[in-house]
């Protein structure tokens, strides 16, 4: 390529040590440079979620040997593919470890309340970005994050949010008085003005790393241009089919910032043919990256693409049920996209549990679940060998999709999986240890560790009101349990995960150190009979490690404290912290619980 004079369009960013990171613009094309060497983002939205775990699984809460085994398994494959960047918020120690041993850089990404915030001790799902309290919480979260990460040699950039423009569901008198068509746009103004304020807060603390936002496609692009002038790049989650149509052109015309795809990809399940379809996934991902390269500097497109993060590294089996069926790989697609044409004939064709460029198995070797690269992984490995900043138009056209070669590579990976399965075992997953006291029910604890999901028998004769304000023992509310039948008996069991009656899914929590389960109870009239126990079944692949029974209680109409002693019990994994069985009395009755706590 012809050498050109670089025109600096943003202040340089200095990483720890000798690295200097900066965006430069040359004749309308953007590049990201580290120590004056071009850096093109090639990586993944990486998370490690074993089969049987869900969205709140924390790899970094495991033993160090388990953490290193998972890192070695994933990072060695990503490194071999030519990947260089990961997205997420991880402990600084492990960011350094991954950077040192595998060369990865990180885009720190806090969601800014996209999936709710805890405000004054209560969890709020639909966050109001116009609320000064919310705005300060988001800013303070980022102040802490930027302060922690700013000197890390592994840090590449900061990215705010995750499709927050799709979550503008709060209500306020000011907004609700607007015409329906204007309400979300008015809310979006509050969101993007907050993003710019957070950007400036981060830059005060860490002027050495660029800051961007993560938007759902290009919705409200004009508002971003107006209200986010201080961001350094636009991060976009985009699923548009084989190419990105006018995305790069619109950003160039409206915003004039470099574009980083923070999520993009295709699922590996063909919803029309009801089967895994590695070939179609691989072809779609190949076409995606050709379009990304085409819109990179000097390649004939808009020249504002600085790379992408593929979604997702490995399948996530929890996506469909969130809390249930965690060991079932769901095949029912959740939404439809006409541009994914290989299975667009199905009513829904986008399956969130199958987006991995690797499949994941329940079996493990050396403490890490088995990962099997799909054909899409080998597509990325082939394309990531190229330097998109030095591709001629002719070379770009020659990067055609070689389906047989990709499927052959996938076949070799499957053979390696078969070999590993011969020595694989289902691992013992250590439950997450929690601080004591640990509440089963306590006022204000909306994010409870266990859920009252196990109704016995199958007919639901029990109703729960966790916010009952009738004569609570403590605070303003208590748990009201209404037995609506009055027949032989009925019961309710708190579970983790929900619905795992046979203990075949990992879950539960480590309550080591607890010496008792303490709770308060009363009956509506007095005389109501209940049986109280903890621990549930000790059988199954992932059983409780202890059980205890308080026997039958006859409740009084006034609050009374009860204690279930746990001295000497093995509490390393408690999946069922409380089970209540109500004896039939020939008529419905109501009981109340409050302050149900392990301590």
């Amino acid at each position: 390529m012809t050498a050109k004079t670089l025109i600096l369009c943003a202040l340089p960013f200095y990483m720890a040590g000798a690295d200097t990171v900066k965006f430069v613009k040359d004749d309308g094309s953007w590049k990201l440079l580290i120590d004056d060497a071009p850096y093109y983002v090639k990586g993944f939205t990486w998370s490690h979620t074993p089969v049987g775990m869900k969205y709140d699984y924390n790899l970094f809460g495991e033993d160090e040997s388990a953490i290193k085994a998972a890192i070695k398994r994933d990072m060695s494959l990503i490194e071999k593919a030519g990947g260089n960047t990961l997205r997420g918020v991880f402990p600084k120690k492990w960011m350094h470890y991954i950077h040192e041993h595998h060369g990865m850089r990180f885009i720190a990404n806090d969601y800014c309340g996209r999936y709710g915030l805890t405000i004054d001790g209560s969890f709020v799902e639909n966050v109001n970005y116009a609320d000064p309290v919310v705005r300060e919480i988001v800013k303070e979260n980022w102040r802490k994050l930027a302060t922690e990460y700013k000197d890390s040699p592994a840090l590449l950039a900061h990215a705010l949010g995750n499709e927050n423009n799709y979550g503008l569901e709060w209500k306020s008198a000011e907004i609700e008085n607007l015409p329906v068509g204007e309400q979300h746009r008015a809310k979006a103004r509050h969101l993007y003005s907050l993003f710019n304020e957070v950007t400036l807060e981060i830059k005060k603390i860490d002027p050495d790393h660029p800051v961007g936002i993560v938007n759902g496609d290009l919705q409200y692009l004009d508002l971003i241009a107006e209200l986010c002038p201080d961001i350094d790049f636009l991060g976009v989650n985009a699923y548009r089919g084989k190419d990105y149509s006018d995305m790069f052109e619109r950003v160039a015309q409206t915003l004039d910032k470099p574009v980083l795809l923070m999520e993009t990809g295709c699922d590996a399940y063909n919803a029309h043919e009801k089967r895994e379809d590695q070939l179609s996934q691989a072809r779609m991902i190949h076409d995606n990256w050709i379009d990304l390269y085409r819109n990179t500097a000097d390649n004939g497109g808009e020249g504002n693409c600085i790379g992408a993060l593929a979604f997702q590294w490995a399948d996530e089996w929890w996506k469909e049920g969130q809390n249930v069926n965690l060991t079932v790989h769901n095949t029912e697609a959740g939404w439809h996209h006409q541009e994914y044409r290989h299975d667009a004939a199905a009513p829904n064709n986008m399956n969130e549990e199958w987006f991995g460029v690797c499949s994941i198995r329940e079996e493990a070797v050396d403490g890490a679940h088995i990962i099997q690269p799909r054909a899409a992984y080998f597509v990325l490995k082939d394309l990531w060998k190229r330097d998109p900043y030095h591709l001629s138009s002719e070379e770009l056209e020659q990067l055609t999709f070689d389906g047989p070669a990709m499927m052959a590579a996938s076949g070799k990976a499957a053979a390696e999986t078969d070999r590993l399965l011969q020595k694989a075992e289902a691992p013992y997953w250590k439950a997450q240890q929690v601080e004591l006291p640990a509440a089963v029910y306590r006022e204000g604890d909306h994010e409870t560790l266990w859920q009252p999901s196990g109704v016995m028998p199958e007919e639901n004769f029990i109703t729960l009101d966790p916010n009952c304000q009738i004569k609570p023992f403590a605070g303003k509310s208590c748990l009201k349990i209404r037995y609506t039948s009055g027949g032989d008996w009925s019961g309710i069991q708190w579970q983790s995960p929900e619905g795992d009656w046979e203990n075949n899914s990992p879950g539960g929590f480590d309550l080591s150190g607890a010496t008792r389960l303490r709770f308060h109870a009363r009956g509506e009239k007095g005389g109501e009979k209940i049986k109280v126990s903890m621990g549930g079944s000790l059988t199954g692949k992932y059983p409780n490690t202890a059980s205890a029974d308080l026997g039958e209680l006859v409740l009084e109409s006034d609050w009374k404290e009860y204690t279930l002693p746990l001295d000497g019990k093995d509490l390393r994994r408690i999946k069922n912290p409380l089970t209540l069985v109500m004896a039939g009395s020939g008529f419905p009755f109501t009981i109340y619980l409050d302050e149900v706590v392990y301590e």
Side-chain angles (χ1 to χ4, degrees):
M1 292 185 174
T2 304
K4 300 176 182 177
T5 302
L6 295 178
I7 304 172
L8 188 62
C9 290
L11 291 175
F13 303 98
Y14 300 98
M15 295 185 71
D19 290 343
T20 301
V21 182
K22 60 188 175 185
F23 289 113
V24 296
K25 191 177 183 185
D26 171 17
D27 286 352
S29 291
W30 287 95
K31 289 183 180 179
L32 176 62
L33 304 183
I34 299 179
D35 264 359
D36 293 325
Y39 186 93
Y40 196 79
V41 175
K42 303 171 182 176
F44 292 97
T45 55
W46 177 70
S47 65
H48 170 83
T49 309
V51 173
M53 297 296 185
K54 54 189 176 71
Y55 53 86
D56 57 357
Y57 173 73
N58 176 23
L59 167 65
F60 301 104
E62 300 286 357
D63 292 335
E64 187 163 299
S65 60
I67 299 172
K68 288 183 176 180
I71 288 173
K72 180 180 178 181
R73 180 205 63 189
D74 287 354
M75 296 305 139
S76 60
L77 284 169
I78 295 173
E79 188 177 6
K80 287 178 182 177
N84 58 19
T85 307
L86 304 173
R87 167 188 174 182
V89 173
F90 307 106
K92 189 175 180 180
K93 166 186 173 180
W94 292 108
M95 285 174 55
H96 289 180
Y97 180 87
I98 293 171
H99 178 67
E100 179 182 353
H101 289 84
H102 300 282
M104 301 297 149
R105 296 181 185 269
F106 289 80
I107 299 175
N109 178 214
D110 179 81
Y111 292 161
C112 299
R114 171 64 175 92
Y115 306 103
L117 284 175
T118 298
I119 303 173
D120 295 331
S122 298
F123 183 76
V124 178
E125 184 175 0
N126 296 318
V127 174
N128 178 357
Y129 293 107
D131 184 347
V133 173
V134 168
R135 296 171 80 90
E136 179 56 29
I137 291 173
V138 173
K139 290 177 186 177
E140 181 59 20
N141 287 344
W142 267 106
R143 290 186 197 109
K144 293 178 180 177
L145 196 64
T147 300
E148 179 184 3
Y149 282 179
K150 65 178 182 177
D151 296 323
S152 171
L155 182 64
L156 180 67
H158 304 281
L160 314 182
N162 186 56
E163 302 179 350
N164 300 56
N165 52 302
Y166 295 158
L168 304 175
E169 301 299 334
W170 80 83
K171 296 183 182 297
S172 69
E174 175 189 3
I175 298 295
E176 301 310 309
N177 288 332
L178 294 172
V180 174
E182 298 178 18
Q183 290 179 8
H184 275 72
R185 188 171 177 85
K187 294 175 184 178
R189 296 191 69 89
H190 292 291
L191 169 67
Y192 293 118
S193 66
L194 172 61
F195 275 169
N196 202 69
E197 291 174 13
V198 175
T199 297
L200 294 174
E201 291 284 331
I202 294 172
K203 290 185 175 185
K204 290 177 185 176
I205 297 167
D206 180 9
D208 304 332
H209 297 94
V211 183
I213 66 173
V214 185
N215 207 60
D217 210 281
L218 298 188
Q219 187 183 34
Y220 304 124
L221 181 61
D222 60 326
L223 293 185
I224 296 172
E226 174 190 350
L227 299 170
C228 296
D230 293 293
I231 62 172
D232 301 299
F233 66 94
L234 177 65
V236 180
N237 292 353
Y239 300 87
R240 293 192 172 198
K242 66 179 295 184
D243 59 43
Y244 300 95
S245 59
D246 63 348
M247 186 177 72
F248 296 104
E249 179 183 5
R250 287 181 58 195
V251 175
Q253 293 176 350
T254 304
L255 185 62
D256 193 23
K257 301 280 187 181
V259 182
L260 175 59
L261 271 292
M262 296 290 289
E263 273 189 25
T264 188
C266 174
D267 68 307
Y269 191 80
N270 190 309
H272 180 60
E273 299 178 3
K274 304 292 184 183
R275 64 177 180 85
E276 184 180 23
D277 186 358
Q278 292 193 38
L279 190 63
S280 293
Q281 181 195 35
R283 182 183 293 109
M284 184 71 72
I285 288 176
H286 176 275
D287 290 344
N288 285 173
W289 280 82
I290 293 300
D291 199 39
L292 294 171
Y293 282 3
R294 183 177 294 112
N295 285 283
T296 299
D298 304 322
N299 289 341
E302 292 301 321
N304 54 358
C305 179
I306 57 170
L309 300 171
F311 183 87
Q312 172 73 346
W313 168 241
D315 290 342
E316 297 174 307
W317 287 29
W318 58 269
K319 281 291 184 71
E320 174 63 23
Q322 301 285 310
N323 292 297
V324 298
N325 298 324
L326 302 178
T327 56
V328 177
H329 204 183
N330 180 270
T331 57
E332 296 300 319
W335 49 292
H336 187 268
H337 199 310
Q338 184 62 37
E339 294 304 317
Y340 290 76
R341 298 180 182 179
H342 56 278
D343 62 351
N348 286 326
N349 65 328
M350 304 293 281
N351 193 306
E352 290 274 356
E353 292 199 1
W354 289 77
F355 265 84
V357 302
C358 297
S359 63
I360 186 170
R361 301 293 294 261
E362 186 173 6
E363 299 85 355
V365 173
D366 297 329
H369 282 244
I370 294 173
I371 287 287
Q372 180 178 319
R374 291 190 170 111
Y377 167 85
F378 296 101
V379 163
L380 293 174
K381 184 177 181 182
D382 182 59
L383 291 177
W384 285 356
K385 293 186 297 186
R386 323 287 175 163
D387 180 359
Y389 290 131
H390 294 89
L391 276 176
S392 66
S393 299
E394 294 77 13
E395 290 171 325
L396 194 59
E397 293 300 321
Q398 292 172 5
L399 297 180
T400 57
F401 177 64
D402 189 345
M406 299 301 106
M407 291 302 294
S410 173
K412 291 181 180 179
E416 173 63 14
T417 297
D418 290 340
R419 186 186 69 80
L420 291 174
L421 285 172
Q422 295 177 12
K423 62 175 183 177
E425 295 180 355
Y428 175 87
W429 281 105
K430 180 183 176 183
Q432 178 183 342
Q433 187 162 14
V434 295
E435 293 184 5
L436 299 174
V440 179
Y441 172 85
R442 183 167 52 195
E443 183 180 43
D445 284 329
H446 296 277
E447 287 293 311
T448 54
L449 301 175
W450 304 271
Q451 298 299 319
S453 52
V455 177
M456 303 171 287
E458 293 182 1
E459 295 85 1
N460 188 356
F461 297 135
I462 292 178
T463 61
L464 301 179
D465 178 5
N467 299 302
C468 176
Q469 298 183 10
I470 300 174
K471 192 183 170 183
F473 171 78
K476 298 180 179 179
S477 61
C478 60
L479 174 61
K480 176 182 177 182
I481 305 176
R482 177 72 172 167
Y483 178 27
T484 62
S485 172
D488 291 337
W489 69 280
S490 195
I492 184 77
Q493 182 180 78
W494 275 252
Q495 299 176 322
S496 168
E498 296 179 32
D500 185 26
W501 289 101
E502 298 179 354
N503 292 327
N504 285 329
S505 295
F509 296 90
D510 185 347
L511 297 175
S512 295
T515 59
R516 64 179 181 170
L517 169 62
R518 182 176 60 86
F519 63 96
H520 292 78
R522 71 177 181 89
E524 185 176 49
K525 298 180 179 179
E528 296 86 351
K529 296 179 180 180
I530 64 172
K531 292 182 178 180
V532 178
S533 62
M534 60 77 63
S537 172
L538 302 183
T539 61
K541 294 169 64 176
Y542 303 94
N544 290 276
T545 54
S547 64
D549 192 339
L550 194 57
E552 186 174 77
L553 306 177
V554 180
L555 300 183
E556 302 175 6
S557 59
D558 292 326
W559 287 105
K560 182 178 179 179
E561 181 178 288
Y562 298 90
T563 298
L564 177 57
L566 299 172
D567 287 307
K569 295 287 186 180
D570 180 359
L571 303 177
R572 288 177 300 157
R573 180 168 54 215
I574 301 302
K575 304 181 74 175
N576 309 118
L578 179 66
T579 300
L580 296 178
V581 175
M582 280 145 279
S585 302
F587 52 84
F589 64 83
T590 301
I591 66 170
Y592 302 87
L593 298 181
D594 209 346
E595 294 292 303
V596 184
V597 180
Y598 279 82
E599 55 188 22

